[in-house]
Amino acid sequence: MSLRRSGLQKDVLSLYRRALRMVRTKPTITQPKFLLFVRYSFRTQASSVAPRDVAAIEHLLRRGQRQLEMYEDKAVKDCQVSQAMRVWEEEQQAARTTP
């Protein structure tokens, strides 16, 4: 059984896949930081907006596309990861390992 996705859902998934592809183009040593940045950004933004708030989702998509274009630049080799992102990652890992 396949899920039918709306246009917005497809756009969000497409942006996420593009961001994950961008991570693979970065130096191996900084890829975990970029991956954490992408995962954290998408998860926190998704939880901050209601699923039916189309205007807000479209705004976040446009903002995400502009930000991704900036990070896709070959001159960008590293990104800043905050302490809040690291704490979030540890909580996610703990939730996955707890039965």
Side-chain angles (χ1 to χ4, degrees):
M1 179 159 111
S2 70
L3 291 174
R4 297 193 60 160
R5 301 191 191 281
S6 72
L8 270 181
Q9 287 173 322
K10 290 177 183 178
D11 291 345
V12 170
L13 289 172
S14 174
L15 182 64
Y16 188 69
R17 282 192 303 269
R18 183 175 155 200
L20 294 177
R21 279 190 230 106
M22 176 273 303
V23 169
R24 291 194 310 251
T25 67
K26 299 304 175 186
T28 308
I29 200 100
T30 61
Q31 284 182 7
K33 288 169 62 176
F34 276 102
L35 184 59
L36 173 57
F37 177 78
V38 168
R39 291 183 65 237
Y40 178 83
S41 298
F42 271 84
R43 287 293 179 128
T44 56
Q45 296 297 325
S47 65
S48 71
V49 108
R52 301 238 182 242
D53 192 353
V54 174
I57 295 169
E58 288 175 341
H59 167 73
L60 290 173
L61 273 171
R62 287 190 302 273
R63 196 173 86 186
Q65 287 168 347
R66 285 192 305 271
Q67 190 175 26
L68 184 56
E69 287 171 3
M70 180 182 67
Y71 281 114
E72 284 175 332
D73 187 359
K74 298 231 185 271
V76 177
K77 303 285 185 201
D78 202 357
C79 70
Q80 183 69 31
V81 175
S82 70
Q83 184 62 29
M85 290 180 188
R86 293 185 194 280
V87 169
W88 177 84
E89 181 180 39
E90 290 171 8
E91 290 171 356
Q92 296 295 309
Q93 288 175 349
R96 276 184 258 152
T97 58
T98 306

